[in-house]
Amino acid sequence: MPSETAAKCPLCGKPRAKEYRPFCSRGCRDRDLNQWFDEGYRMPAHEGPDGGTDDDRFGGD
Ligand SMILES: [Zn+2]
């Protein structure tokens, strides 16, 4: 079994393109970027809905 799953776009599941990895196209890459920007604008003061990588805030400085 080849590990094809490692080479798929995380957004749409299509084969990713080397140029836009880990995404398949600029469209998917932009979509992901927009998500980051959106979160950045919100600047969550409390815990985020994800609550996964809070360690960054404590171990930062
Ligand atoms: Zn994609």
Side-chain angles (χ1 to χ4, degrees):
M1 281 179 79
S3 54
E4 266 186 302
T5 49
K8 282 186 179 178
C9 173
L11 287 186
C12 69
K14 288 179 184 174
R16 66 175 63 170
K18 200 192 235 175
E19 192 176 354
Y20 300 114
R21 66 180 180 179
F23 306 104
C24 69
S25 64
R26 205 177 78 177
C28 279
R29 194 187 60 178
D30 283 353
R31 254 169 69 186
D32 189 69
L33 270 178
N34 285 334
Q35 281 180 14
W36 277 102
F37 278 131
D38 193 43
E39 285 198 20
Y41 281 131
R42 289 186 186 186
M43 294 281 280
H46 308 287
E47 294 180 51
D50 290 346
T53 55
D54 280 0
D55 286 6
D56 269 359
R57 281 195 290 185
F58 294 108
D61 293 338

